[in-house]
Amino acid sequence: MPAPLRACDQAASAASQVAFATGATHKYALQERAYTALKVEHGLPAQPAVRVIGKVADAYSTRTSHLKKGLPGRRGRHGG
């Protein structure tokens, strides 16, 4: 995997951990909590950092929607 994609993937994992820990799954709430860390710790420029946060927020939104419909999905590597 190319280095920029690896950085984005690692940043997405970090943003997801922040979202899970804080309950901030909405895009702007998550951005307030994770944006600076993604830029500093993962070396992402502004636009990729915002896109990663948006993708993580979208994933949480989709997951919530599926759970409300009774569609738990497949088990992931974290047992969820």
Side-chain angles (χ1 to χ4, degrees):
M1 180 183 299
L5 292 179
R6 185 172 299 121
C8 285
D9 186 49
Q10 292 170 348
S13 292
S16 181
Q17 289 173 356
V18 170
F20 184 80
T22 64
T25 58
H26 186 269
K27 181 179 175 181
Y28 299 114
L30 183 55
Q31 187 169 329
E32 286 179 346
R33 290 165 177 82
Y35 176 78
T36 302
L38 295 185
K39 287 187 53 127
V40 172
E41 295 172 16
H42 298 282
L44 293 182
Q47 186 173 2
V50 170
R51 294 290 295 152
V52 164
I53 290 167
K55 292 288 185 176
V56 170
D58 288 346
Y60 271 94
S61 176
T62 299
R63 180 177 181 267
T64 300
S65 175
H66 285 179
L67 289 175
K68 285 181 182 178
K69 294 177 185 175
L71 304 169
R74 60 185 173 97
R75 289 183 59 87
R77 62 181 166 170
H78 299 292

Short mmCIF file of all heavy atoms in Angstrom, two decimals:
data_model
loop_
_atom_site.label_atom_id
_atom_site.label_comp_id
_atom_site.label_asym_id
_atom_site.label_seq_id
_atom_site.Cartn_x
_atom_site.Cartn_y
_atom_site.Cartn_z
N MET A 1 0.86 -1.17 0.00
CA MET A 1 0.00 0.00 0.00
C MET A 1 0.90 1.24 0.00
O MET A 1 1.83 1.33 0.81
CB MET A 1 -0.90 -0.03 1.25
CG MET A 1 -1.83 1.15 1.35
SD MET A 1 -2.85 1.19 2.86
CE MET A 1 -3.80 -0.31 2.74
N PRO A 2 0.62 2.20 -0.87
CA PRO A 2 1.43 3.43 -0.89
C PRO A 2 1.34 4.19 0.44
O PRO A 2 0.34 4.14 1.15
CB PRO A 2 0.80 4.26 -2.01
CG PRO A 2 0.08 3.27 -2.86
CD PRO A 2 -0.35 2.16 -1.93
N ALA A 3 2.41 4.91 0.76
CA ALA A 3 2.51 5.61 2.05
C ALA A 3 1.34 6.57 2.32
O ALA A 3 0.82 6.58 3.44
CB ALA A 3 3.84 6.34 2.15
N PRO A 4 0.90 7.38 1.34
CA PRO A 4 -0.23 8.28 1.65
C PRO A 4 -1.51 7.52 2.00
O PRO A 4 -2.24 7.93 2.90
CB PRO A 4 -0.41 9.09 0.37
CG PRO A 4 0.90 9.05 -0.31
CD PRO A 4 1.47 7.69 0.03
N LEU A 5 -1.76 6.41 1.33
CA LEU A 5 -2.95 5.62 1.65
C LEU A 5 -2.83 4.97 3.02
O LEU A 5 -3.80 4.87 3.76
CB LEU A 5 -3.20 4.56 0.57
CG LEU A 5 -3.60 5.10 -0.79
CD1 LEU A 5 -3.78 3.95 -1.77
CD2 LEU A 5 -4.87 5.91 -0.70
N ARG A 6 -1.62 4.52 3.34
CA ARG A 6 -1.40 3.93 4.66
C ARG A 6 -1.64 4.97 5.76
O ARG A 6 -2.27 4.69 6.78
CB ARG A 6 0.02 3.37 4.77
CG ARG A 6 0.28 2.62 6.07
CD ARG A 6 1.62 1.90 6.08
NE ARG A 6 1.65 0.92 5.01
CZ ARG A 6 2.56 0.92 4.02
NH1 ARG A 6 3.51 1.81 3.99
NH2 ARG A 6 2.53 0.00 3.08
N ALA A 7 -1.16 6.20 5.53
CA ALA A 7 -1.37 7.28 6.50
C ALA A 7 -2.85 7.57 6.67
O ALA A 7 -3.33 7.76 7.80
CB ALA A 7 -0.62 8.54 6.07
N CYS A 8 -3.60 7.59 5.57
CA CYS A 8 -5.04 7.83 5.65
C CYS A 8 -5.75 6.69 6.37
O CYS A 8 -6.67 6.92 7.16
CB CYS A 8 -5.63 8.03 4.26
SG CYS A 8 -5.25 9.63 3.54
N ASP A 9 -5.33 5.46 6.11
CA ASP A 9 -5.93 4.30 6.76
C ASP A 9 -5.68 4.33 8.27
O ASP A 9 -6.58 4.10 9.07
CB ASP A 9 -5.36 3.02 6.15
CG ASP A 9 -6.03 1.77 6.67
OD1 ASP A 9 -7.29 1.73 6.68
OD2 ASP A 9 -5.32 0.82 7.08
N GLN A 10 -4.46 4.65 8.67
CA GLN A 10 -4.14 4.74 10.08
C GLN A 10 -4.88 5.90 10.74
O GLN A 10 -5.34 5.80 11.88
CB GLN A 10 -2.62 4.89 10.27
CG GLN A 10 -1.87 3.63 9.89
CD GLN A 10 -0.37 3.84 9.84
OE1 GLN A 10 0.12 4.97 9.88
NE2 GLN A 10 0.37 2.74 9.74
N ALA A 11 -5.02 7.00 10.00
CA ALA A 11 -5.75 8.16 10.52
C ALA A 11 -7.23 7.81 10.70
O ALA A 11 -7.86 8.24 11.68
CB ALA A 11 -5.59 9.35 9.59
N ALA A 12 -7.78 7.05 9.77
CA ALA A 12 -9.18 6.64 9.89
C ALA A 12 -9.39 5.76 11.12
O ALA A 12 -10.38 5.90 11.83
CB ALA A 12 -9.64 5.91 8.63
N SER A 13 -8.45 4.88 11.38
CA SER A 13 -8.54 4.04 12.58
C SER A 13 -8.48 4.89 13.84
O SER A 13 -9.25 4.67 14.79
CB SER A 13 -7.40 3.02 12.60
OG SER A 13 -7.57 2.07 11.57
N ALA A 14 -7.59 5.87 13.85
CA ALA A 14 -7.47 6.76 15.01
C ALA A 14 -8.74 7.58 15.19
O ALA A 14 -9.24 7.74 16.31
CB ALA A 14 -6.26 7.68 14.85
N ALA A 15 -9.30 8.10 14.10
CA ALA A 15 -10.53 8.88 14.17
C ALA A 15 -11.69 8.02 14.66
O ALA A 15 -12.53 8.48 15.44
CB ALA A 15 -10.86 9.50 12.82
N SER A 16 -11.73 6.78 14.22
CA SER A 16 -12.78 5.88 14.67
C SER A 16 -12.67 5.60 16.16
O SER A 16 -13.69 5.52 16.87
CB SER A 16 -12.72 4.57 13.88
OG SER A 16 -13.74 3.70 14.28
N GLN A 17 -11.46 5.47 16.66
CA GLN A 17 -11.27 5.25 18.09
C GLN A 17 -11.75 6.46 18.88
O GLN A 17 -12.38 6.31 19.94
CB GLN A 17 -9.80 4.96 18.39
CG GLN A 17 -9.36 3.61 17.89
CD GLN A 17 -7.86 3.38 18.04
OE1 GLN A 17 -7.12 4.27 18.46
NE2 GLN A 17 -7.41 2.20 17.68
N VAL A 18 -11.48 7.66 18.37
CA VAL A 18 -11.95 8.88 19.03
C VAL A 18 -13.47 8.93 19.02
O VAL A 18 -14.10 9.23 20.03
CB VAL A 18 -11.36 10.15 18.35
CG1 VAL A 18 -12.03 11.41 18.87
CG2 VAL A 18 -9.85 10.21 18.55
N ALA A 19 -14.07 8.60 17.87
CA ALA A 19 -15.53 8.62 17.76
C ALA A 19 -16.16 7.63 18.74
O ALA A 19 -17.14 7.94 19.41
CB ALA A 19 -15.95 8.29 16.33
N PHE A 20 -15.59 6.45 18.81
CA PHE A 20 -16.14 5.42 19.70
C PHE A 20 -15.99 5.83 21.16
O PHE A 20 -16.91 5.69 21.95
CB PHE A 20 -15.44 4.08 19.45
CG PHE A 20 -15.99 2.95 20.26
CD1 PHE A 20 -17.16 2.32 19.86
CD2 PHE A 20 -15.37 2.53 21.41
CE1 PHE A 20 -17.68 1.28 20.61
CE2 PHE A 20 -15.88 1.50 22.17
CZ PHE A 20 -17.05 0.86 21.76
N ALA A 21 -14.82 6.35 21.51
CA ALA A 21 -14.54 6.70 22.90
C ALA A 21 -15.35 7.90 23.39
O ALA A 21 -15.77 7.95 24.55
CB ALA A 21 -13.05 6.99 23.08
N THR A 22 -15.60 8.85 22.49
CA THR A 22 -16.27 10.09 22.91
C THR A 22 -17.75 10.12 22.53
O THR A 22 -18.49 10.97 23.02
CB THR A 22 -15.59 11.31 22.28
OG1 THR A 22 -15.74 11.26 20.85
CG2 THR A 22 -14.13 11.40 22.67
N GLY A 23 -18.16 9.24 21.63
CA GLY A 23 -19.53 9.26 21.15
C GLY A 23 -19.76 10.34 20.10
O GLY A 23 -20.89 10.56 19.66
N ALA A 24 -18.70 11.00 19.67
CA ALA A 24 -18.79 12.08 18.67
C ALA A 24 -18.73 11.46 17.28
O ALA A 24 -17.67 11.38 16.67
CB ALA A 24 -17.65 13.08 18.86
N THR A 25 -19.87 11.00 16.79
CA THR A 25 -19.89 10.34 15.50
C THR A 25 -20.37 11.24 14.37
O THR A 25 -20.29 10.86 13.21
CB THR A 25 -20.76 9.07 15.54
OG1 THR A 25 -22.08 9.42 15.95
CG2 THR A 25 -20.18 8.05 16.53
N HIS A 26 -20.87 12.42 14.69
CA HIS A 26 -21.27 13.38 13.67
C HIS A 26 -20.00 14.04 13.13
O HIS A 26 -19.04 14.28 13.86
CB HIS A 26 -22.21 14.43 14.25
CG HIS A 26 -22.76 15.36 13.24
ND1 HIS A 26 -22.15 16.55 12.93
CD2 HIS A 26 -23.85 15.28 12.44
CE1 HIS A 26 -22.83 17.16 11.97
NE2 HIS A 26 -23.87 16.40 11.67
N LYS A 27 -20.01 14.35 11.85
CA LYS A 27 -18.82 14.87 11.18
C LYS A 27 -18.18 16.06 11.90
O LYS A 27 -16.97 16.07 12.15
CB LYS A 27 -19.19 15.26 9.74
CG LYS A 27 -18.04 15.79 8.93
CD LYS A 27 -18.51 16.11 7.52
CE LYS A 27 -17.43 16.77 6.71
NZ LYS A 27 -17.88 17.09 5.36
N TYR A 28 -18.97 17.05 12.25
CA TYR A 28 -18.40 18.26 12.84
C TYR A 28 -17.95 18.04 14.28
O TYR A 28 -16.94 18.59 14.70
CB TYR A 28 -19.38 19.43 12.72
CG TYR A 28 -19.69 19.72 11.27
CD1 TYR A 28 -20.95 19.52 10.76
CD2 TYR A 28 -18.69 20.16 10.41
CE1 TYR A 28 -21.22 19.75 9.42
CE2 TYR A 28 -18.95 20.40 9.07
CZ TYR A 28 -20.22 20.20 8.58
OH TYR A 28 -20.48 20.42 7.26
N ALA A 29 -18.68 17.24 15.02
CA ALA A 29 -18.27 16.92 16.39
C ALA A 29 -16.96 16.13 16.38
O ALA A 29 -16.06 16.39 17.19
CB ALA A 29 -19.36 16.13 17.10
N LEU A 30 -16.84 15.19 15.46
CA LEU A 30 -15.62 14.40 15.35
C LEU A 30 -14.47 15.27 14.88
O LEU A 30 -13.34 15.13 15.34
CB LEU A 30 -15.85 13.22 14.40
CG LEU A 30 -14.68 12.25 14.22
CD1 LEU A 30 -14.21 11.70 15.57
CD2 LEU A 30 -15.09 11.12 13.30
N GLN A 31 -14.75 16.18 13.98
CA GLN A 31 -13.70 17.07 13.48
C GLN A 31 -13.12 17.92 14.61
O GLN A 31 -11.91 18.12 14.68
CB GLN A 31 -14.24 17.97 12.37
CG GLN A 31 -13.18 18.80 11.70
CD GLN A 31 -13.71 19.47 10.44
OE1 GLN A 31 -14.58 18.94 9.77
NE2 GLN A 31 -13.18 20.64 10.14
N GLU A 32 -13.98 18.40 15.50
CA GLU A 32 -13.51 19.19 16.65
C GLU A 32 -12.54 18.40 17.52
O GLU A 32 -11.61 18.96 18.09
CB GLU A 32 -14.68 19.64 17.51
CG GLU A 32 -15.50 20.74 16.92
CD GLU A 32 -16.68 21.13 17.81
OE1 GLU A 32 -16.99 20.37 18.76
OE2 GLU A 32 -17.28 22.17 17.55
N ARG A 33 -12.77 17.10 17.63
CA ARG A 33 -11.98 16.28 18.53
C ARG A 33 -10.77 15.62 17.88
O ARG A 33 -9.80 15.29 18.58
CB ARG A 33 -12.86 15.21 19.16
CG ARG A 33 -13.86 15.78 20.13
CD ARG A 33 -14.96 14.78 20.45
NE ARG A 33 -15.89 15.27 21.44
CZ ARG A 33 -16.91 16.07 21.17
NH1 ARG A 33 -17.11 16.50 19.94
NH2 ARG A 33 -17.72 16.48 22.13
N ALA A 34 -10.79 15.40 16.57
CA ALA A 34 -9.74 14.59 15.95
C ALA A 34 -8.89 15.30 14.91
O ALA A 34 -7.81 14.82 14.58
CB ALA A 34 -10.38 13.36 15.31
N TYR A 35 -9.34 16.42 14.39
CA TYR A 35 -8.68 17.07 13.25
C TYR A 35 -7.20 17.37 13.51
O TYR A 35 -6.32 16.98 12.74
CB TYR A 35 -9.43 18.35 12.88
CG TYR A 35 -8.78 19.17 11.79
CD1 TYR A 35 -8.91 18.79 10.46
CD2 TYR A 35 -8.06 20.32 12.08
CE1 TYR A 35 -8.34 19.53 9.46
CE2 TYR A 35 -7.49 21.07 11.08
CZ TYR A 35 -7.63 20.67 9.77
OH TYR A 35 -7.05 21.41 8.77
N THR A 36 -6.89 18.05 14.60
CA THR A 36 -5.51 18.44 14.88
C THR A 36 -4.62 17.22 15.05
O THR A 36 -3.51 17.18 14.53
CB THR A 36 -5.45 19.34 16.13
OG1 THR A 36 -6.28 20.48 15.92
CG2 THR A 36 -4.04 19.80 16.40
N ALA A 37 -5.10 16.22 15.76
CA ALA A 37 -4.31 15.01 15.96
C ALA A 37 -4.03 14.30 14.64
O ALA A 37 -2.92 13.80 14.43
CB ALA A 37 -5.03 14.06 16.92
N LEU A 38 -5.00 14.26 13.74
CA LEU A 38 -4.77 13.61 12.45
C LEU A 38 -3.70 14.35 11.66
O LEU A 38 -2.86 13.73 11.02
CB LEU A 38 -6.06 13.54 11.64
CG LEU A 38 -7.19 12.68 12.20
CD1 LEU A 38 -8.35 12.61 11.22
CD2 LEU A 38 -6.71 11.29 12.54
N LYS A 39 -3.74 15.65 11.72
CA LYS A 39 -2.75 16.45 11.00
C LYS A 39 -1.36 16.27 11.61
O LYS A 39 -0.39 16.06 10.89
CB LYS A 39 -3.14 17.92 10.98
CG LYS A 39 -4.31 18.21 10.07
CD LYS A 39 -4.58 19.68 9.95
CE LYS A 39 -3.34 20.39 9.56
NZ LYS A 39 -3.35 21.25 8.45
N VAL A 40 -1.26 16.34 12.91
CA VAL A 40 0.04 16.29 13.57
C VAL A 40 0.60 14.87 13.63
O VAL A 40 1.73 14.62 13.21
CB VAL A 40 -0.05 16.89 15.00
CG1 VAL A 40 1.23 16.67 15.77
CG2 VAL A 40 -0.41 18.36 14.93
N GLU A 41 -0.18 13.94 14.15
CA GLU A 41 0.31 12.58 14.38
C GLU A 41 0.44 11.75 13.11
O GLU A 41 1.28 10.86 13.03
CB GLU A 41 -0.59 11.86 15.38
CG GLU A 41 -0.54 12.49 16.77
CD GLU A 41 -1.57 11.91 17.71
OE1 GLU A 41 -2.12 10.82 17.42
OE2 GLU A 41 -1.83 12.54 18.74
N HIS A 42 -0.41 12.04 12.12
CA HIS A 42 -0.39 11.23 10.89
C HIS A 42 0.13 12.02 9.69
O HIS A 42 0.21 11.48 8.59
CB HIS A 42 -1.78 10.67 10.61
CG HIS A 42 -2.25 9.77 11.70
ND1 HIS A 42 -1.82 8.47 11.83
CD2 HIS A 42 -3.07 9.99 12.75
CE1 HIS A 42 -2.36 7.93 12.89
NE2 HIS A 42 -3.13 8.83 13.48
N GLY A 43 0.45 13.27 9.90
CA GLY A 43 1.05 14.08 8.84
C GLY A 43 0.14 14.35 7.66
O GLY A 43 0.62 14.53 6.54
N LEU A 44 -1.17 14.37 7.91
CA LEU A 44 -2.10 14.59 6.80
C LEU A 44 -2.28 16.08 6.53
O LEU A 44 -2.40 16.87 7.47
CB LEU A 44 -3.47 13.99 7.12
CG LEU A 44 -3.56 12.48 7.21
CD1 LEU A 44 -5.00 12.07 7.49
CD2 LEU A 44 -3.08 11.81 5.94
N PRO A 45 -2.33 16.47 5.26
CA PRO A 45 -2.73 17.84 4.94
C PRO A 45 -4.20 18.05 5.32
O PRO A 45 -4.93 17.10 5.62
CB PRO A 45 -2.54 17.92 3.42
CG PRO A 45 -1.61 16.81 3.08
CD PRO A 45 -1.89 15.73 4.10
N ALA A 46 -4.65 19.29 5.26
CA ALA A 46 -5.99 19.65 5.72
C ALA A 46 -7.09 18.87 4.99
O ALA A 46 -7.99 18.30 5.63
CB ALA A 46 -6.22 21.14 5.58
N GLN A 47 -7.06 18.88 3.67
CA GLN A 47 -8.16 18.24 2.93
C GLN A 47 -8.27 16.75 3.19
O GLN A 47 -9.37 16.25 3.47
CB GLN A 47 -8.06 18.52 1.44
CG GLN A 47 -9.27 18.01 0.68
CD GLN A 47 -9.26 18.42 -0.79
OE1 GLN A 47 -8.33 19.07 -1.25
NE2 GLN A 47 -10.30 18.06 -1.49
N PRO A 48 -7.17 15.98 3.12
CA PRO A 48 -7.31 14.55 3.45
C PRO A 48 -7.77 14.30 4.89
O PRO A 48 -8.52 13.36 5.14
CB PRO A 48 -5.90 14.00 3.22
CG PRO A 48 -5.30 14.91 2.22
CD PRO A 48 -5.85 16.27 2.55
N ALA A 49 -7.34 15.14 5.82
CA ALA A 49 -7.78 14.97 7.21
C ALA A 49 -9.29 15.13 7.32
O ALA A 49 -9.97 14.33 7.97
CB ALA A 49 -7.07 15.97 8.12
N VAL A 50 -9.83 16.14 6.66
CA VAL A 50 -11.27 16.37 6.69
C VAL A 50 -12.01 15.24 5.98
O VAL A 50 -13.07 14.79 6.44
CB VAL A 50 -11.61 17.75 6.07
CG1 VAL A 50 -13.11 17.90 5.86
CG2 VAL A 50 -11.08 18.86 6.94
N ARG A 51 -11.46 14.75 4.87
CA ARG A 51 -12.11 13.65 4.14
C ARG A 51 -12.13 12.37 4.97
O ARG A 51 -13.13 11.64 4.98
CB ARG A 51 -11.39 13.40 2.81
CG ARG A 51 -11.50 14.54 1.82
CD ARG A 51 -12.88 14.72 1.27
NE ARG A 51 -13.22 13.54 0.49
CZ ARG A 51 -14.44 13.10 0.30
NH1 ARG A 51 -15.46 13.74 0.83
NH2 ARG A 51 -14.68 12.03 -0.42
N VAL A 52 -11.04 12.09 5.67
CA VAL A 52 -10.98 10.91 6.53
C VAL A 52 -12.04 11.00 7.62
O VAL A 52 -12.78 10.05 7.88
CB VAL A 52 -9.57 10.73 7.14
CG1 VAL A 52 -9.59 9.78 8.32
CG2 VAL A 52 -8.60 10.23 6.09
N ILE A 53 -12.15 12.16 8.24
CA ILE A 53 -13.15 12.37 9.28
C ILE A 53 -14.56 12.17 8.72
O ILE A 53 -15.40 11.52 9.35
CB ILE A 53 -12.99 13.77 9.92
CG1 ILE A 53 -11.70 13.80 10.75
CG2 ILE A 53 -14.20 14.13 10.77
CD1 ILE A 53 -11.27 15.18 11.17
N GLY A 54 -14.81 12.70 7.53
CA GLY A 54 -16.11 12.53 6.89
C GLY A 54 -16.43 11.07 6.60
O GLY A 54 -17.56 10.61 6.81
N LYS A 55 -15.44 10.33 6.14
CA LYS A 55 -15.65 8.91 5.84
C LYS A 55 -15.96 8.12 7.12
O LYS A 55 -16.82 7.24 7.12
CB LYS A 55 -14.42 8.30 5.15
CG LYS A 55 -14.16 8.83 3.77
CD LYS A 55 -15.18 8.31 2.81
CE LYS A 55 -14.84 8.73 1.40
NZ LYS A 55 -15.76 8.17 0.42
N VAL A 56 -15.25 8.43 8.20
CA VAL A 56 -15.49 7.75 9.47
C VAL A 56 -16.90 8.08 9.97
O VAL A 56 -17.64 7.20 10.40
CB VAL A 56 -14.42 8.11 10.51
CG1 VAL A 56 -14.80 7.60 11.90
CG2 VAL A 56 -13.06 7.56 10.09
N ALA A 57 -17.28 9.34 9.89
CA ALA A 57 -18.62 9.75 10.33
C ALA A 57 -19.69 9.06 9.48
O ALA A 57 -20.71 8.59 10.02
CB ALA A 57 -18.77 11.26 10.25
N ASP A 58 -19.47 8.96 8.18
CA ASP A 58 -20.42 8.27 7.30
C ASP A 58 -20.54 6.80 7.67
O ASP A 58 -21.63 6.22 7.65
CB ASP A 58 -20.00 8.39 5.84
CG ASP A 58 -20.21 9.77 5.28
OD1 ASP A 58 -20.92 10.59 5.91
OD2 ASP A 58 -19.66 10.05 4.18
N ALA A 59 -19.41 6.17 8.01
CA ALA A 59 -19.43 4.76 8.39
C ALA A 59 -20.24 4.55 9.67
O ALA A 59 -21.03 3.60 9.77
CB ALA A 59 -18.01 4.24 8.58
N TYR A 60 -20.08 5.44 10.64
CA TYR A 60 -20.87 5.34 11.87
C TYR A 60 -22.36 5.56 11.59
O TYR A 60 -23.22 4.89 12.16
CB TYR A 60 -20.37 6.31 12.93
CG TYR A 60 -19.30 5.71 13.80
CD1 TYR A 60 -17.95 5.89 13.51
CD2 TYR A 60 -19.63 4.95 14.92
CE1 TYR A 60 -16.96 5.33 14.30
CE2 TYR A 60 -18.64 4.38 15.71
CZ TYR A 60 -17.32 4.57 15.39
OH TYR A 60 -16.35 4.00 16.16
N SER A 61 -22.67 6.48 10.70
CA SER A 61 -24.06 6.74 10.35
C SER A 61 -24.69 5.51 9.69
O SER A 61 -25.81 5.12 10.01
CB SER A 61 -24.13 7.95 9.41
OG SER A 61 -25.44 8.17 8.99
N THR A 62 -23.95 4.90 8.77
CA THR A 62 -24.44 3.70 8.08
C THR A 62 -24.63 2.57 9.08
O THR A 62 -25.64 1.86 9.05
CB THR A 62 -23.46 3.29 6.98
OG1 THR A 62 -23.37 4.34 6.03
CG2 THR A 62 -23.91 2.01 6.29
N ARG A 63 -23.67 2.40 9.98
CA ARG A 63 -23.75 1.33 10.98
C ARG A 63 -24.98 1.53 11.87
O ARG A 63 -25.73 0.58 12.14
CB ARG A 63 -22.49 1.33 11.84
CG ARG A 63 -22.49 0.25 12.89
CD ARG A 63 -21.17 0.26 13.65
NE ARG A 63 -21.15 -0.79 14.64
CZ ARG A 63 -21.52 -0.63 15.90
NH1 ARG A 63 -21.94 0.54 16.33
NH2 ARG A 63 -21.47 -1.63 16.75
N THR A 64 -25.21 2.75 12.31
CA THR A 64 -26.36 3.04 13.16
C THR A 64 -27.66 2.74 12.42
O THR A 64 -28.58 2.13 12.98
CB THR A 64 -26.34 4.51 13.61
OG1 THR A 64 -25.14 4.74 14.34
CG2 THR A 64 -27.54 4.84 14.47
N SER A 65 -27.73 3.14 11.17
CA SER A 65 -28.92 2.90 10.36
C SER A 65 -29.18 1.40 10.20
O SER A 65 -30.31 0.94 10.34
CB SER A 65 -28.75 3.55 8.99
OG SER A 65 -29.82 3.23 8.15
N HIS A 66 -28.12 0.64 9.92
CA HIS A 66 -28.29 -0.80 9.75
C HIS A 66 -28.71 -1.48 11.04
O HIS A 66 -29.56 -2.38 11.03
CB HIS A 66 -26.99 -1.42 9.23
CG HIS A 66 -26.75 -1.14 7.79
ND1 HIS A 66 -25.64 -1.57 7.13
CD2 HIS A 66 -27.46 -0.46 6.86
CE1 HIS A 66 -25.68 -1.19 5.87
NE2 HIS A 66 -26.78 -0.50 5.69
N LEU A 67 -28.15 -1.05 12.16
CA LEU A 67 -28.53 -1.64 13.44
C LEU A 67 -29.99 -1.37 13.77
O LEU A 67 -30.68 -2.23 14.31
CB LEU A 67 -27.61 -1.13 14.56
CG LEU A 67 -26.18 -1.64 14.52
CD1 LEU A 67 -25.34 -0.96 15.59
CD2 LEU A 67 -26.13 -3.15 14.68
N LYS A 68 -30.47 -0.17 13.44
CA LYS A 68 -31.89 0.15 13.68
C LYS A 68 -32.80 -0.73 12.84
O LYS A 68 -33.93 -1.01 13.24
CB LYS A 68 -32.16 1.63 13.37
CG LYS A 68 -31.62 2.56 14.42
CD LYS A 68 -31.93 4.00 14.07
CE LYS A 68 -31.36 4.95 15.11
NZ LYS A 68 -31.60 6.35 14.77
N LYS A 69 -32.31 -1.16 11.68
CA LYS A 69 -33.10 -2.03 10.80
C LYS A 69 -32.92 -3.50 11.13
O LYS A 69 -33.48 -4.36 10.46
CB LYS A 69 -32.69 -1.79 9.35
CG LYS A 69 -33.03 -0.42 8.83
CD LYS A 69 -32.52 -0.24 7.41
CE LYS A 69 -32.76 1.18 6.95
NZ LYS A 69 -32.17 1.42 5.61
N GLY A 70 -32.12 -3.80 12.14
CA GLY A 70 -31.89 -5.19 12.53
C GLY A 70 -30.88 -5.90 11.66
O GLY A 70 -30.88 -7.12 11.57
N LEU A 71 -30.00 -5.14 11.03
CA LEU A 71 -28.97 -5.73 10.18
C LEU A 71 -27.60 -5.52 10.82
O LEU A 71 -26.92 -4.53 10.57
CB LEU A 71 -28.99 -5.04 8.79
CG LEU A 71 -30.32 -5.07 8.05
CD1 LEU A 71 -30.27 -4.14 6.84
CD2 LEU A 71 -30.62 -6.48 7.62
N PRO A 72 -27.17 -6.45 11.66
CA PRO A 72 -25.94 -6.24 12.40
C PRO A 72 -24.67 -6.32 11.55
O PRO A 72 -23.64 -5.83 11.95
CB PRO A 72 -25.95 -7.36 13.45
CG PRO A 72 -26.77 -8.43 12.82
CD PRO A 72 -27.81 -7.71 12.01
N GLY A 73 -24.73 -6.94 10.40
CA GLY A 73 -23.53 -7.04 9.55
C GLY A 73 -22.67 -8.21 9.97
O GLY A 73 -23.01 -8.98 10.87
N ARG A 74 -21.51 -8.29 9.35
CA ARG A 74 -20.61 -9.39 9.67
C ARG A 74 -19.69 -9.00 10.81
O ARG A 74 -19.46 -7.83 11.07
CB ARG A 74 -19.79 -9.77 8.45
CG ARG A 74 -18.92 -8.68 7.91
CD ARG A 74 -18.23 -9.13 6.60
NE ARG A 74 -17.54 -8.02 6.01
CZ ARG A 74 -16.25 -7.77 6.16
NH1 ARG A 74 -15.50 -8.58 6.88
NH2 ARG A 74 -15.69 -6.72 5.59
N ARG A 75 -19.15 -10.02 11.46
CA ARG A 75 -18.22 -9.76 12.56
C ARG A 75 -16.91 -9.26 11.97
O ARG A 75 -16.39 -9.82 11.04
CB ARG A 75 -17.98 -11.02 13.36
CG ARG A 75 -19.20 -11.42 14.19
CD ARG A 75 -18.91 -12.63 15.04
NE ARG A 75 -17.82 -12.46 15.97
CZ ARG A 75 -17.94 -11.95 17.19
NH1 ARG A 75 -19.13 -11.56 17.61
NH2 ARG A 75 -16.92 -11.85 17.99
N GLY A 76 -16.39 -8.20 12.56
CA GLY A 76 -15.12 -7.63 12.11
C GLY A 76 -13.97 -8.15 12.94
O GLY A 76 -14.12 -9.01 13.80
N ARG A 77 -12.82 -7.57 12.68
CA ARG A 77 -11.63 -8.02 13.39
C ARG A 77 -11.65 -7.61 14.86
O ARG A 77 -10.88 -8.12 15.65
CB ARG A 77 -10.38 -7.48 12.72
CG ARG A 77 -10.26 -6.00 12.71
CD ARG A 77 -9.01 -5.57 12.02
NE ARG A 77 -9.11 -4.14 11.74
CZ ARG A 77 -8.13 -3.42 11.32
NH1 ARG A 77 -6.97 -3.97 11.10
NH2 ARG A 77 -8.30 -2.15 11.08
N HIS A 78 -12.53 -6.68 15.23
CA HIS A 78 -12.63 -6.25 16.63
C HIS A 78 -13.80 -6.92 17.34
O HIS A 78 -14.18 -6.50 18.42
CB HIS A 78 -12.78 -4.73 16.71
CG HIS A 78 -11.61 -4.03 16.12
ND1 HIS A 78 -10.36 -4.05 16.68
CD2 HIS A 78 -11.47 -3.29 14.99
CE1 HIS A 78 -9.52 -3.36 15.96
NE2 HIS A 78 -10.17 -2.89 14.91
N GLY A 79 -14.39 -7.91 16.71
CA GLY A 79 -15.44 -8.67 17.35
C GLY A 79 -16.81 -8.01 17.34
O GLY A 79 -17.72 -8.43 18.01
N GLY A 80 -16.97 -6.93 16.56
CA GLY A 80 -18.23 -6.20 16.58
C GLY A 80 -19.13 -6.46 15.49
O GLY A 80 -19.47 -7.13 14.72
#
